């Protein structure tokens, strides 16, 4: 059984929709999965390793000019002192392409921080403009399949 945590941050509901699409794909997989969906601000980064999580999926949004969500700041900072060696991760999140070079930079920021923890990247990150559409759902399905293929 694969122990999976899907953690998201959202204000508008866009990233909860992204998380739900990922969860639907995980539930449709022919693999036994112990799944937990949580808001990122309710999680202490240090509990992830203690909980024997196999797969961590983060779904942050990018705020303003490339900032990570305020509600994810504590989690992000705590990751700096957390060893996630042996855990596979994936990051998918939304942003607004109006911001140009700052579009979805929180996805990249979290990916970099997770690599610093010793976790292994299981799939290419997915960046979604605002709310996920049908094409995004296909990208997320591939993302989820690639993550599960690591097990």
């Amino acid at each position: 059984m694969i122990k999976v945590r899907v953690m998201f941050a959202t204000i508008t509901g866009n990233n909860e929709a992204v998380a739900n699409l990922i969860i639907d794909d995980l539930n449709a997989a022919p693999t036994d999965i112990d799944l937990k969906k949580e808001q990122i601000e309710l999680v202490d980064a240090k509990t992830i390793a203690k909980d024997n999580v196999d797969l961590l999926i983060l779904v942050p949004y990018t705020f303003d000019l490339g900032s990570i969500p305020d509600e994810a700041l504590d989690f992000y900072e705590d990751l700096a002192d957390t060893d996630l060696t042996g855990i596979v991760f994936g990051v998918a999140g939304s942003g607004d392409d109006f911001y140009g070079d700052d579009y979805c930079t929180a996805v990249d920021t979290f990916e970099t921080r997770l690599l610093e923890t010793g976790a292994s990247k299981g799939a290419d990150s997915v960046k979604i403009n605002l709310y996920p559409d049908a094409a995004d759902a296909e990208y997320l399905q591939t993302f989820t399949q690639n993550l599960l293929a690591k097990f």
Side-chain angles (χ1 to χ4, degrees):
M1 181 174 307
I2 303 169
K3 191 166 187 179
V4 182
R5 285 178 96 165
V6 177
M7 299 169 36
F8 68 96
T10 194
I11 291 178
T12 61
N14 292 354
N15 275 356
E16 187 167 13
V18 172
N20 287 337
L21 287 168
I22 292 168
I23 288 167
D24 289 346
D25 292 335
L26 288 167
N27 286 328
T31 305
D32 282 341
I33 295 175
D34 175 7
L35 179 63
K36 191 171 187 180
K37 174 185 165 188
E38 303 171 288
Q39 292 181 347
I40 198 167
E41 67 267 22
L42 301 177
V43 179
D44 179 349
K46 293 174 179 41
T47 64
I48 294 168
K50 292 177 189 173
D51 289 346
N52 296 315
V53 171
D54 300 304
L55 175 58
L56 175 63
I57 302 172
L58 293 184
V59 186
Y61 62 89
T62 300
F63 180 70
D64 198 25
L65 297 174
S67 300
I68 63 172
D70 286 344
E71 61 271 29
L73 282 174
D74 286 342
F75 181 81
Y76 176 80
E77 289 170 0
D78 288 346
L79 282 174
D81 300 320
T82 305
D83 182 1
L84 298 181
T85 302
I87 295 175
V88 174
F89 76 87
V91 184
S94 69
D96 187 338
D97 64 5
F98 169 82
Y99 290 99
D101 290 342
D102 293 318
Y103 171 66
C104 283
T105 55
V107 170
D108 301 327
T109 301
F110 270 102
E111 182 178 301
T112 299
R113 179 58 57 98
L114 286 164
L115 287 168
E116 293 168 355
T117 69
S120 301
K121 181 178 171 181
D124 290 336
S125 295
V126 177
K127 297 178 179 181
I128 294 170
N129 187 42
L130 302 173
Y131 194 85
D133 61 18
D136 295 322
E138 288 182 30
Y139 295 136
L140 290 169
Q141 185 176 38
T142 300
F143 169 80
T144 304
Q145 290 170 348
N146 289 340
L147 289 170
L148 291 175
K150 300 297 179 191
F151 297 92

